[in-house]
Amino acid sequence: MSESAEVGTAAGAGPTDTDWAAALAAVRGLPADARVQLICHVNPDGDALGTMLGFGLGLRRLGVRQLRATFPGPPVLPEPFRWLPGLELLVGQDDAYPEPDLVICFDVASESRLGDLADRLDKAGTALVLDHHASNTRFGDLHLVDPHAAATSVVAQELLDRLGVPLDAEIATCFYVALSTDTGSFRFEATTPAVHRLAARLLATGIRPGDISRRIFDTRPFGAVRLFGEVMLRARLEPAAAAGRGLVWTYATREDLARHDQPAYVLEALIDSVRCTAEADVSCVVKQVDAAEWAVSLRSKGAVDVSAVAVALGGGGHRFAAGFTGRGTVDEVVDRIRGELAGALLPG
Ligand code: AMP
Ligand code: MN
Ligand code: MN
């Protein structure tokens, strides 16, 4: 679930005045009967879902009536998110508007993260992209992309401010989920004074951070607890990898999931247990998707640019939190990662 995006100090300016003006005009200029389609990235995390639903609720407050939210892939929402405000906006990808007047993408760095919904970019009247990945490929018509933002919700909250939509507890709950997910509960480097000021505004609406955090981060079925135990036991430490900075990695198969009767999304939290390892800068979890297909999560404590590793292997992400889709066996996938690590060392 956790994207755990430690944004670092990515180069690249945020949105210009012209970008903000164009985005405002696109929303304010919508006719009364406009169809608006919200889309977040495949395998949505707290930032993707929270930002999309919070912004959707904001559009509702503005009077947008024909409004749907979706994400690519099977319409299965991870259990920890099944209480979020705004879920009534959510439809499966097959029920997304075929030709919306406006598409808004959330936390999506590139078209490939839109899966089967990528065709909406051409079919929509306008495609607006809200994001915070430095690697964003600017695949829409209008872009509000701020690589310095700790979460996409930071950009969305500013757009709602500029649209004059007041924060309420429902919107704030969604944005708090987004912000706390991508800052690792306000622990990562991206946790600036501005982040805490935004969080203060969210909390001032009366939301309960203890309840929210427990539901999102600290609750999992007993089967998942036992599954994590097994998967952690097979973790491997390679102190020599990444030019001596160290690599720790583990993997989980579909059979592991079946044995413990767990859905795939429970594995999203696994990287947070693996990356604790003191002896390794880089951590990695390889999660089986298909017979020879693996979803790979990479994290770094600061010595390695794991987004460079991920990009070299066909994926993307942030400097210290990235991922890609691996093919072949686990050993082949990890071998390819080892091969990229030394070349991705950061100076200093
Ligand atoms: P995860 O490890 O799935 O939490 O993802 C960490 C970061 O890597 C997020 O910013 C994702 O957007 C990015 N990411 C993960 N998987 C992929 C992928 N297959 N392609 C591009 N970016 C990815
Ligand atoms: Mn995300
Ligand atoms: Mn994000």
Short mmCIF file of all heavy atoms in Angstrom, two decimals, residues 234-262:
data_model
loop_
_atom_site.label_atom_id
_atom_site.label_comp_id
_atom_site.label_asym_id
_atom_site.label_seq_id
_atom_site.Cartn_x
_atom_site.Cartn_y
_atom_site.Cartn_z
N ARG A 234 13.09 -15.44 4.84
CA ARG A 234 13.91 -15.78 3.67
C ARG A 234 14.63 -14.55 3.10
O ARG A 234 15.20 -14.61 2.01
CB ARG A 234 13.07 -16.47 2.60
CG ARG A 234 11.93 -15.71 2.00
CD ARG A 234 11.39 -16.45 0.76
NE ARG A 234 10.37 -17.42 1.09
CZ ARG A 234 9.07 -17.32 0.71
NH1 ARG A 234 8.66 -16.29 0.00
NH2 ARG A 234 8.21 -18.25 1.03
N ALA A 235 14.63 -13.46 3.82
CA ALA A 235 15.34 -12.26 3.36
C ALA A 235 16.83 -12.56 3.27
O ALA A 235 17.38 -13.32 4.08
CB ALA A 235 15.09 -11.09 4.30
N ARG A 236 17.50 -11.97 2.29
CA ARG A 236 18.94 -12.15 2.09
C ARG A 236 19.64 -10.81 2.21
O ARG A 236 19.18 -9.83 1.65
CB ARG A 236 19.21 -12.73 0.70
CG ARG A 236 18.77 -14.18 0.54
CD ARG A 236 19.73 -15.14 1.25
NE ARG A 236 19.20 -16.49 1.33
CZ ARG A 236 18.50 -16.99 2.34
NH1 ARG A 236 18.22 -16.25 3.41
NH2 ARG A 236 18.05 -18.23 2.33
N LEU A 237 20.77 -10.81 2.93
CA LEU A 237 21.58 -9.60 3.05
C LEU A 237 22.83 -9.77 2.22
O LEU A 237 23.54 -10.77 2.37
CB LEU A 237 21.93 -9.37 4.53
CG LEU A 237 22.86 -8.19 4.81
CD1 LEU A 237 22.21 -6.86 4.44
CD2 LEU A 237 23.28 -8.19 6.28
N GLU A 238 23.11 -8.80 1.36
CA GLU A 238 24.31 -8.83 0.52
C GLU A 238 25.12 -7.57 0.79
O GLU A 238 24.94 -6.55 0.13
CB GLU A 238 23.91 -8.92 -0.95
CG GLU A 238 23.08 -10.16 -1.25
CD GLU A 238 22.74 -10.30 -2.74
OE1 GLU A 238 23.38 -9.60 -3.56
OE2 GLU A 238 21.85 -11.09 -3.05
N PRO A 239 26.03 -7.64 1.78
CA PRO A 239 26.76 -6.43 2.20
C PRO A 239 27.62 -5.84 1.08
O PRO A 239 27.86 -4.63 1.09
CB PRO A 239 27.63 -6.92 3.36
CG PRO A 239 27.05 -8.22 3.78
CD PRO A 239 26.41 -8.82 2.57
N ALA A 240 28.07 -6.66 0.14
CA ALA A 240 28.99 -6.15 -0.89
C ALA A 240 28.26 -5.45 -2.03
O ALA A 240 28.87 -4.72 -2.82
CB ALA A 240 29.83 -7.30 -1.43
N ALA A 241 26.96 -5.65 -2.12
CA ALA A 241 26.21 -5.08 -3.26
C ALA A 241 26.22 -3.56 -3.18
O ALA A 241 26.51 -2.98 -2.13
CB ALA A 241 24.78 -5.61 -3.25
N ALA A 242 25.90 -2.91 -4.28
CA ALA A 242 25.86 -1.45 -4.37
C ALA A 242 27.18 -0.85 -3.88
O ALA A 242 27.19 0.09 -3.08
CB ALA A 242 24.67 -0.87 -3.60
N ALA A 243 28.28 -1.41 -4.40
CA ALA A 243 29.63 -0.94 -4.04
C ALA A 243 29.82 -0.86 -2.53
O ALA A 243 30.40 0.10 -2.00
CB ALA A 243 29.90 0.42 -4.71
N GLY A 244 29.30 -1.87 -1.83
CA GLY A 244 29.53 -1.97 -0.39
C GLY A 244 28.48 -1.28 0.46
O GLY A 244 28.54 -1.34 1.69
N ARG A 245 27.52 -0.61 -0.17
CA ARG A 245 26.45 0.01 0.63
C ARG A 245 25.47 -1.03 1.14
O ARG A 245 24.75 -0.81 2.10
CB ARG A 245 25.70 1.05 -0.21
CG ARG A 245 26.21 2.47 -0.19
CD ARG A 245 27.71 2.60 -0.17
NE ARG A 245 28.14 3.98 -0.44
CZ ARG A 245 29.09 4.29 -1.28
NH1 ARG A 245 29.72 3.33 -1.97
NH2 ARG A 245 29.44 5.54 -1.44
N GLY A 246 25.39 -2.15 0.45
CA GLY A 246 24.56 -3.26 0.92
C GLY A 246 23.17 -3.30 0.32
O GLY A 246 22.56 -2.27 0.06
N LEU A 247 22.73 -4.54 0.09
CA LEU A 247 21.38 -4.79 -0.44
C LEU A 247 20.71 -5.83 0.44
O LEU A 247 21.33 -6.83 0.82
CB LEU A 247 21.49 -5.33 -1.88
CG LEU A 247 20.22 -5.97 -2.49
CD1 LEU A 247 19.16 -4.91 -2.76
CD2 LEU A 247 20.57 -6.72 -3.79
N VAL A 248 19.45 -5.60 0.79
CA VAL A 248 18.66 -6.63 1.46
C VAL A 248 17.42 -6.86 0.61
O VAL A 248 16.83 -5.92 0.10
CB VAL A 248 18.29 -6.23 2.91
CG1 VAL A 248 17.50 -4.92 2.97
CG2 VAL A 248 17.51 -7.34 3.60
N TRP A 249 17.10 -8.13 0.40
CA TRP A 249 15.94 -8.39 -0.46
C TRP A 249 15.22 -9.65 -0.04
O TRP A 249 15.78 -10.53 0.61
CB TRP A 249 16.37 -8.48 -1.93
CG TRP A 249 17.29 -9.64 -2.25
CD1 TRP A 249 18.64 -9.66 -2.13
CD2 TRP A 249 16.92 -10.94 -2.74
NE1 TRP A 249 19.15 -10.88 -2.51
CE2 TRP A 249 18.11 -11.68 -2.90
CE3 TRP A 249 15.70 -11.53 -3.08
CZ2 TRP A 249 18.11 -13.00 -3.36
CZ3 TRP A 249 15.69 -12.84 -3.54
CH2 TRP A 249 16.90 -13.56 -3.68
N THR A 250 13.95 -9.71 -0.42
CA THR A 250 13.19 -10.94 -0.26
C THR A 250 12.13 -11.00 -1.37
O THR A 250 12.05 -10.09 -2.19
CB THR A 250 12.55 -11.05 1.15
OG1 THR A 250 12.02 -12.37 1.31
CG2 THR A 250 11.44 -10.03 1.34
N TYR A 251 11.37 -12.08 -1.38
CA TYR A 251 10.37 -12.24 -2.43
C TYR A 251 9.15 -12.96 -1.85
O TYR A 251 9.23 -13.62 -0.82
CB TYR A 251 10.93 -13.03 -3.62
CG TYR A 251 11.22 -14.47 -3.27
CD1 TYR A 251 10.27 -15.47 -3.52
CD2 TYR A 251 12.42 -14.85 -2.67
CE1 TYR A 251 10.53 -16.79 -3.16
CE2 TYR A 251 12.67 -16.15 -2.31
CZ TYR A 251 11.72 -17.13 -2.56
OH TYR A 251 11.96 -18.42 -2.19
N ALA A 252 8.03 -12.79 -2.53
CA ALA A 252 6.81 -13.52 -2.16
C ALA A 252 6.12 -14.01 -3.43
O ALA A 252 6.04 -13.26 -4.41
CB ALA A 252 5.87 -12.61 -1.37
N THR A 253 5.68 -15.26 -3.40
CA THR A 253 5.05 -15.85 -4.57
C THR A 253 3.53 -15.86 -4.42
O THR A 253 2.99 -15.63 -3.33
CB THR A 253 5.51 -17.31 -4.76
OG1 THR A 253 5.04 -18.06 -3.63
CG2 THR A 253 7.01 -17.40 -4.88
N ARG A 254 2.86 -16.16 -5.52
CA ARG A 254 1.39 -16.30 -5.46
C ARG A 254 1.01 -17.47 -4.56
O ARG A 254 -0.01 -17.45 -3.91
CB ARG A 254 0.83 -16.49 -6.88
CG ARG A 254 0.90 -15.23 -7.69
CD ARG A 254 0.18 -15.38 -9.00
NE ARG A 254 0.71 -16.50 -9.78
CZ ARG A 254 0.30 -16.81 -11.00
NH1 ARG A 254 -0.65 -16.11 -11.58
NH2 ARG A 254 0.83 -17.82 -11.66
N GLU A 255 1.90 -18.47 -4.54
CA GLU A 255 1.62 -19.63 -3.68
C GLU A 255 1.69 -19.24 -2.20
O GLU A 255 0.90 -19.73 -1.38
CB GLU A 255 2.63 -20.74 -3.99
CG GLU A 255 2.16 -22.11 -3.56
CD GLU A 255 3.34 -23.02 -3.31
OE1 GLU A 255 4.07 -23.32 -4.28
OE2 GLU A 255 3.52 -23.40 -2.13
N ASP A 256 2.63 -18.35 -1.86
CA ASP A 256 2.69 -17.85 -0.48
C ASP A 256 1.37 -17.19 -0.10
O ASP A 256 0.83 -17.41 0.99
CB ASP A 256 3.81 -16.81 -0.31
CG ASP A 256 5.21 -17.38 -0.54
OD1 ASP A 256 5.42 -18.56 -0.20
OD2 ASP A 256 6.07 -16.65 -1.06
N LEU A 257 0.86 -16.38 -1.02
CA LEU A 257 -0.41 -15.69 -0.76
C LEU A 257 -1.53 -16.70 -0.57
O LEU A 257 -2.32 -16.61 0.38
CB LEU A 257 -0.75 -14.75 -1.92
CG LEU A 257 0.10 -13.48 -2.04
CD1 LEU A 257 -0.12 -12.81 -3.39
CD2 LEU A 257 -0.23 -12.51 -0.90
N ALA A 258 -1.57 -17.68 -1.47
CA ALA A 258 -2.65 -18.68 -1.42
C ALA A 258 -2.59 -19.47 -0.11
O ALA A 258 -3.61 -19.72 0.53
CB ALA A 258 -2.55 -19.61 -2.63
N ARG A 259 -1.37 -19.84 0.30
CA ARG A 259 -1.21 -20.65 1.51
C ARG A 259 -1.76 -19.93 2.73
O ARG A 259 -2.29 -20.53 3.64
CB ARG A 259 0.28 -20.96 1.69
CG ARG A 259 0.55 -22.20 2.53
CD ARG A 259 2.01 -22.64 2.49
NE ARG A 259 2.96 -21.57 2.68
CZ ARG A 259 3.70 -21.02 1.72
NH1 ARG A 259 3.61 -21.47 0.48
NH2 ARG A 259 4.54 -20.04 1.98
N HIS A 260 -1.65 -18.61 2.73
CA HIS A 260 -2.16 -17.85 3.87
C HIS A 260 -3.49 -17.17 3.56
O HIS A 260 -3.96 -16.35 4.34
CB HIS A 260 -1.11 -16.82 4.30
CG HIS A 260 0.13 -17.43 4.87
ND1 HIS A 260 0.20 -17.89 6.16
CD2 HIS A 260 1.32 -17.72 4.31
CE1 HIS A 260 1.40 -18.39 6.38
NE2 HIS A 260 2.10 -18.31 5.28
N ASP A 261 -4.05 -17.51 2.38
CA ASP A 261 -5.35 -16.99 1.98
C ASP A 261 -5.38 -15.46 2.00
O ASP A 261 -6.29 -14.85 2.57
CB ASP A 261 -6.42 -17.57 2.93
CG ASP A 261 -7.82 -17.40 2.35
OD1 ASP A 261 -7.94 -17.23 1.12
OD2 ASP A 261 -8.79 -17.40 3.14
N GLN A 262 -4.36 -14.85 1.39
CA GLN A 262 -4.25 -13.39 1.41
C GLN A 262 -4.28 -12.80 0.00
O GLN A 262 -3.74 -13.41 -0.93
CB GLN A 262 -2.93 -12.97 2.10
CG GLN A 262 -2.87 -13.32 3.57
CD GLN A 262 -3.99 -12.66 4.34
OE1 GLN A 262 -4.20 -11.44 4.24
NE2 GLN A 262 -4.74 -13.45 5.10
#
